[in-house]
Amino acid sequence: MLLGLAVLAAALASSGAHALATPNLHKRFGEPAVKHSWVEVPEGWMDDGSVPPADHTINLRIGLKQNKIDVLIEQLYEVSDPTSASYGKHLSKEQVEALVAPHPDTVALVEEWLAAHDISPAHCSRSPAGDWLSVNVPVSKAERLLDTNYRVFRRRDNGNSVVRALSYSLPRFLHDHIDVVTPTTMFGSLHEMRSTGFIQPSGFKAVTDDAEPQRLVLPGRLATLPASCGTTITPTCLRILYATDTYVPAATGTNKLGVAGYLGEFANDADLQTFFRQFRTDAVGQTLTHVQLNGGGNNQSQPGVEANLDVQYTEGISSPTPNIYYSTGGSPPFTPDSATPTNTNEPYMDWLNFILNQTTIPQTFTTSYGDDEQTVPNDFAVRVCNQFAQLGARGSSIMFSSGDSGVGAGSCRTNDGTNKVVFQPTFPAGCPFVTAVGGTTRVNPEVAVSFSQGGFSNYFARPSYQDAAVSKFLTGVGTKFQGLFNPAGRGFPDVAAQGNGFQVIRSGRVISVGGTSASSPTFAAVVSLLNDFRIASGKAPLGFLNPLLYSSLVPGFNDITSGSNPGCGTTGFTAVAGWDAVTGLGTPNFTTLKNIVAGL
């Protein structure tokens, strides 16, 4: 986007001032080298033509290189590989922190650099492992530190504003010591993250579990399924469909399920009880634990569709397993008030740092939010992905919805200046350390739902655990869509679950909701029951699932072999036998999966 002449002149003047003010610093530390930059203003945003006041305060976070992150990832795979002697021997909080702590040389160099810019290391807050430094600084000082210019950018759709930069730089020698600095070029804020759920049209009528007497017999099952489950989903549908209906959790004193919430979405306690009375009467009275962080709220007068969907279906399947809803505050619109530091931290960062700082954490997590991968700076994506690896190493299974745009939403054009049309993977679903969940619809048999997002990451290489499954799928695809996706990238989703017509209570009334944001909590609830079974049997929780999913657990999935995920002006990928980039390995059969994990 071109700047007006006056704005451009101001920007150049500001840049010149930085250059004149820092010759001694450049001589001492070397000329700055770009750490990350955008070719153009990211899609959906516009430069509003203004700059923040020089004394406007921001909370700057510096992610120091984690000295033994490669060792941590290696150990993550060892404790997650069912053929390893270390399987299930998850790491403690202290062991993880020891591996991600920065090298002393890194700490010394970064502190010297900060001190040279009159930022006292003593004034910096530090994460328990020391891999994050946080300090409040005037934007003018941040600009000199990062050789950048912060501007005010506005969302085109809702007018929300943030203070961001189109690029930032560090002395070249620090590139090996600093992974990422925020807030800088990450435009996706908690207010701009997309929930992967949506209220469905009236054609998906609301029902109760007793509204349809007709029943369908599932192959190989004695239980019968209400015929209404073909269009409207309730806990009864899912519990019978995925064979959890006869399992009674026995480790509820230890096992927990965590739901990450953003966007000012609040899970309503009264609606949860109404949901239980209508759809899971034996769970009436079970409560939900609310944890608020980073300014997150719990406004019970404003029930959120996404929040209610998530907790009603995690609890509706996993009851009486304790559930925790984490309400994470978001970035407020920018206001030029220098008296109070602006909360400009990015998605997932605050939640992840909070969870990793807890001594005891849930064994299962689900999150129903994501961004187009290309809108997330690579340095930010890699650092966040590695934080998910830390959670997995500590024994947690992490589910993310894959997205609701087939192989890509909108024009599918790249934002690197080439303006090419390519398939658009999502983040964090494309991170190899999370389990991405796609969507299905109908029953007897289930088929892929058309919006189920899937494809291949452009940031993360295909992990070895899915080599065989993905290679087979790619052989079937052949030269179709050549050039539209990265065949060497991490494939997603990994698994799938129902994603259409979920009956949700909001403000005391039933609405119908769809999206892979329904699929992720559903699959997470099944995983939570598997963790319950493991813990009750004296075994470790499953932890990072993917190496196990693509090996021992394959027989425990209902293979989805029809349907596709159109997008980007194409027909998209097609569900086939085995893994596919629409429904992954398929949907879970709890009974079979339970029998498999019993022997691990």
Side-chain angles (χ1 to χ4, degrees):
M1 178 177 293
L2 296 177
L3 300 175
L5 292 179
V7 173
L8 179 60
L12 290 173
S14 175
S15 178
H18 293 169
L20 292 174
T22 57
N24 291 333
L25 288 173
H26 289 176
K27 183 177 180 180
R28 182 176 178 185
F29 295 108
E31 290 295 321
V34 173
K35 188 75 167 77
H36 181 262
S37 66
W38 293 117
V39 174
E40 56 193 27
V41 177
E43 181 71 23
W45 292 88
M46 61 179 292
D47 187 332
D48 82 348
S50 65
V51 297
D55 61 350
H56 174 71
T57 304
I58 60 175
N59 180 245
L60 204 62
R61 295 191 176 192
I62 302 170
L64 278 61
K65 181 177 178 60
Q66 298 163 321
N67 186 37
K68 297 180 180 178
I69 186 65
D70 292 341
V71 176
L72 180 134
I73 292 172
E74 179 182 337
Q75 293 192 17
L76 168 68
Y77 279 114
E78 287 180 2
V79 301
S80 307
D81 179 358
T83 66
S84 167
S86 298
Y87 179 72
K89 297 178 181 178
H90 301 116
L91 279 61
S92 68
K93 176 177 182 290
E94 292 73 23
Q95 289 173 317
V96 167
E97 288 173 354
L99 292 174
V100 301
H103 191 280
D105 290 349
T106 292
V107 177
L109 288 168
V110 171
E111 288 185 349
E112 180 184 359
W113 170 64
L114 292 173
H117 284 271
D118 298 321
I119 298 174
S120 171
H123 293 159
C124 295
S125 299
R126 301 170 192 259
S127 63
D131 56 334
W132 284 101
L133 298 182
S134 176
V135 63
N136 293 329
V137 296
V139 70
S140 57
K141 181 167 287 191
E143 289 181 328
R144 289 191 294 272
L145 184 73
L146 303 174
D147 197 55
T148 190
N149 293 285
Y150 281 94
R151 303 189 58 78
V152 180
F153 294 88
R154 188 179 303 278
R155 281 288 298 186
R156 293 181 181 275
D157 56 0
N158 59 23
N160 283 352
S161 300
V162 294
V163 175
R164 292 292 187 271
L166 291 181
S167 69
Y168 75 101
S169 300
L170 300 171
R172 187 173 298 281
F173 79 93
L174 283 180
H175 282 222
D176 292 332
H177 298 278
I178 293 177
D179 287 336
V180 65
V181 180
T182 72
T184 50
T185 56
M186 175 64 181
F187 277 70
S189 68
L190 291 176
H191 268 281
E192 315 311 333
M193 290 164 61
R194 288 203 311 273
S195 158
T196 54
F198 49 89
I199 298 177
Q200 297 190 291
S202 57
F204 291 91
K205 66 182 182 70
V207 299
T208 68
D209 276 347
D210 298 326
E212 177 55 71
Q214 183 183 359
R215 302 280 167 171
L216 300 173
V217 178
L218 290 173
R221 295 289 314 283
L222 295 177
T224 56
L225 188 71
S228 58
C229 296
T231 55
T232 49
I233 293 296
T234 67
T236 292
C237 295
L238 298 172
R239 294 176 70 208
I240 295 176
L241 189 62
Y242 300 140
T244 70
D245 50 309
T246 60
Y247 182 76
V248 179
T252 56
T254 302
N255 191 41
K256 293 179 174 60
L257 197 167
V259 178
Y262 303 100
L263 293 170
E265 282 267 344
F266 309 124
N268 187 269
D269 295 326
D271 282 344
L272 180 61
Q273 296 306 313
T274 302
F275 181 82
F276 286 153
R277 286 192 295 271
Q278 188 154 343
F279 298 115
R280 182 89 197 255
T281 56
D282 62 321
V284 170
Q286 180 175 332
T287 58
L288 174 71
T289 299
H290 298 265
V291 174
Q292 296 160 244
L293 60 128
N294 189 39
N298 181 22
N299 189 338
Q300 290 294 300
S301 67
Q302 294 182 356
V305 173
E306 179 64 57
N308 276 6
L309 165 67
D310 288 347
V311 302
Q312 287 172 17
Y313 278 87
T314 55
E315 293 224 22
I317 298 170
S318 71
S319 176
T321 301
N323 280 218
I324 303 172
Y325 183 79
Y326 297 92
S327 177
T328 306
S331 302
F334 164 75
T335 55
D337 175 10
S338 62
T340 304
T342 299
N343 176 11
T344 50
N345 300 320
E346 279 87 359
Y348 318 119
M349 194 75 76
D350 285 299
W351 183 83
L352 276 164
N353 287 337
F354 174 85
I355 294 296
L356 288 168
N357 193 31
Q358 305 305 302
T359 302
T360 302
I361 58 178
Q363 293 83 356
T364 310
F365 289 102
T366 179
T367 309
S368 295
Y369 298 84
D371 295 284
D372 288 339
E373 187 181 74
Q374 71 167 358
T375 68
V376 181
N378 184 274
D379 56 358
F380 179 89
V382 171
R383 182 60 181 246
V384 169
C385 187
N386 286 343
Q387 286 185 275
F388 288 123
Q390 294 176 53
L391 275 182
R394 288 182 59 182
S396 292
S397 304
I398 308 152
M399 267 57 67
F400 268 88
S401 50
S402 69
D404 294 342
S405 301
V407 290
S411 67
C412 296
R413 296 190 180 278
T414 58
N415 60 358
D416 59 1
T418 63
N419 212 31
K420 290 170 52 181
V421 173
V422 296
F423 293 170
Q424 295 295 329
T426 54
F427 179 82
C431 166
F433 305 129
V434 306
T435 299
V437 187
T440 61
T441 189
R442 302 184 197 169
V443 294
N444 223 5
E446 292 180 84
V447 302
V449 68
S450 62
F451 54 71
S452 181
Q453 196 144 358
F456 300 85
S457 172
N458 292 313
Y459 286 178
F460 301 101
R462 183 167 71 234
S464 59
Y465 60 70
Q466 62 173 190
D467 264 341
V470 172
S471 295
K472 179 182 177 183
F473 174 74
L474 290 173
T475 298
V477 172
T479 58
K480 189 178 182 181
F481 307 134
Q482 190 168 5
L484 292 178
F485 69 94
N486 173 27
R490 181 275 207 268
F492 74 99
D494 299 294
V495 293
Q498 286 281 319
N500 242 349
F502 277 57
Q503 306 303 284
V504 175
I505 302 292
R506 183 184 64 170
S507 299
R509 301 184 64 180
V510 180
I511 58 173
S512 190
V513 181
T516 56
S517 64
S519 311
S520 184
T522 296
F523 187 82
V526 175
V527 171
S528 184
L529 294 180
L530 291 172
N531 278 329
D532 177 275
F533 173 74
R534 290 270 300 175
I535 294 168
S537 303
K539 299 176 182 290
L542 295 170
F544 174 41
L545 288 172
N546 294 6
L548 183 63
L549 290 176
Y550 287 87
S551 55
S552 303
L553 296 188
V554 170
F557 287 91
N558 309 306
D559 196 4
I560 310 301
T561 58
S562 61
S564 61
N565 57 353
C568 301
T570 74
T571 56
F573 295 115
T574 300
V576 296
W579 182 90
D580 56 68
V582 191
T583 60
L585 297 168
T587 60
N589 182 307
F590 176 78
T591 300
T592 305
L593 292 171
K594 178 170 68 71
N595 291 337
I596 295 172
V597 301
L600 299 177

